[in-house]
Amino acid sequence: MADRNVEEGRELLERAQNGDEGAFSELVRIHQSEVFTLALRLLGNYELAADAAQETFIRAWRALPKFRGDAALSTWLHRITVNTSWTLGRRAQRHNAADIDEVAPIGHDTQPSPEAVAENAELQARLRNAVTDLPDAHRAVVVLKDIYGWSHAEVAESLDISVTAAKVRLHRARKRLKESLWREMV
Amino acid sequence: MRAACLPNRLRLSGDPSFSSGHVSECLRCQAEAAKYRTLLRYLMQMRSQLVPAPAGLVEVVGRGLSRVTDVPKKSRVREVAFAATGVVAMAGAVKLWRRRVSV
């Protein structure tokens, strides 16, 4: 079953690389939630994240012929999502488009898994809000390193900062998350 | 907090698996390490919590695709590469022929 899915995915990809818009739309359908979730976690704003997801897929369509399959398609899409979100985020900041009151807490629509509910749903929700409240630069590092498991080098390269800067931001972000979580609980 | 706690706490936020002789004996630092471990575990769990994409995203992207006209197809890229190789080979052949003619 898994092999058949992989085979179907490969076939879809090949067709999309040869210009089949229907095949690409199917790939968008498969990866849309993953791309949107990453954009939402990075940007902390539902509208901006929707724009970023849309732009990500358009950029992916343009670059698809050059995709060689060295990494998984989802990994490749993640990288485009990060770049796109970063660009849109900065543009929004410049134009003051992001009204603080409109920033939706991350994960309001999320259905937590039963295990997560059992473990500590309240802490999970609090953590999602705490991640949203982090400054953009710190949030990006935490999302990519601690949620998506990227290496320090990958995070640094993707955000165009040094590895040391990535580590410093991560240190500060984790400290702030820990403080905001446990301070509220006491 | 004892003086020895401070450097350990600074390291804990960067490396929650960090342990030292001090941490193994200091209950405060052990509690701190436990908090960081919990924090990282919850962050990792967020990876699998997908937020549903806005309705209609696929259609919006689909409409956007038809406006993107400058997409080089993979097969077209290959064709261009073949053509370029042909041109280079032809140029080389002409150069060789000219050299022979001049000799």
Side-chain angles (χ1 to χ4, degrees):
Chain A
M1 185 67 182
D3 284 350
R4 206 175 69 191
N5 284 345
V6 170
E7 190 57 41
E8 280 172 4
R10 207 173 293 154
E11 196 189 308
L12 272 177
L13 179 61
E14 201 161 308
R15 277 170 44 206
Q17 282 187 309
N18 282 309
D20 184 336
E21 290 183 11
F24 186 73
S25 290
E26 191 53 34
L27 289 175
V28 174
R29 202 181 310 280
I30 293 167
H31 294 280
Q32 59 175 339
S33 290
E34 213 173 321
V35 165
F36 176 71
T37 302
L38 175 56
L40 184 57
R41 297 219 195 286
L42 288 169
L43 292 164
N45 178 295
Y46 195 90
E47 300 300 325
L48 264 183
D51 289 347
Q54 188 186 328
E55 179 66 22
T56 294
F57 285 117
I58 298 291
R59 286 189 189 187
W61 170 249
R62 283 206 188 98
L64 204 56
K66 288 182 232 154
F67 176 65
R68 297 155 66 97
D70 297 335
L73 181 65
S74 56
T75 308
W76 184 69
L77 285 172
H78 282 175
R79 290 185 186 285
I80 300 176
T81 308
V82 173
N83 291 337
T84 310
S85 301
W86 208 232
T87 307
L88 290 190
R90 273 185 300 201
R91 200 181 297 160
Q93 270 179 348
R94 267 205 304 272
H95 295 289
N96 257 345
D99 184 342
I100 292 170
D101 295 336
E102 286 176 8
V103 173
I106 283 175
H108 260 209
D109 299 333
T110 306
Q111 296 287 325
S113 65
E115 304 94 279
V117 172
E119 196 153 7
N120 196 331
E122 193 192 336
L123 192 60
Q124 288 269 359
R126 209 171 270 179
L127 179 60
R128 283 195 293 271
N129 290 337
V131 171
T132 309
D133 289 342
L134 285 173
D136 291 351
H138 290 183
R139 186 171 59 239
V141 176
V142 163
V143 167
L144 296 177
K145 177 75 177 68
D146 287 343
I147 301 181
Y148 285 84
W150 290 24
S151 68
H152 282 297
E154 287 172 322
V155 173
E157 191 194 338
S158 183
L159 301 179
D160 202 19
I161 55 176
S162 69
V163 171
T164 308
K167 286 182 179 175
V168 169
R169 286 184 194 180
L170 183 68
H171 166 83
R172 289 183 183 155
R174 282 177 178 171
K175 191 163 176 274
R176 194 164 156 169
L177 284 178
K178 191 214 72 174
E179 282 167 1
S180 61
L181 281 183
W182 276 278
R183 187 184 54 223
E184 285 177 32
M185 289 185 83
V186 173
Chain B
M1 182 172 30
R2 285 189 287 162
C5 293
L6 190 61
N8 283 306
R9 289 199 180 180
L10 289 176
R11 299 216 30 199
L12 283 169
S13 61
D15 178 12
S17 63
F18 173 72
S19 67
S20 70
H22 167 76
V23 174
S24 64
E25 290 170 5
C26 176
L27 288 178
R28 280 174 187 271
C29 283
Q30 284 172 21
E32 194 79 354
K35 284 178 183 174
Y36 277 113
R37 276 196 295 272
T38 307
L39 174 64
L40 285 194
R41 196 172 66 245
Y42 282 123
L43 284 169
M44 276 191 278
Q45 284 175 1
M46 282 174 76
R47 172 80 173 85
S48 58
Q49 295 166 11
L50 292 183
V51 181
L57 179 66
V58 180
E59 289 73 21
V60 172
V61 171
R63 281 197 294 276
L65 295 188
S66 46
R67 271 181 250 131
V68 181
T69 51
D70 57 339
V71 180
K73 308 284 185 291
K74 198 181 181 187
S75 52
R76 213 175 295 157
V77 171
R78 243 181 262 141
E79 281 167 20
V80 170
F82 280 131
T85 312
V87 168
V88 169
M90 184 72 90
V94 168
K95 205 173 179 184
L96 272 176
W97 177 74
R98 275 192 185 160
R99 203 179 288 169
R100 275 191 194 168
V101 167
S102 63
V103 171

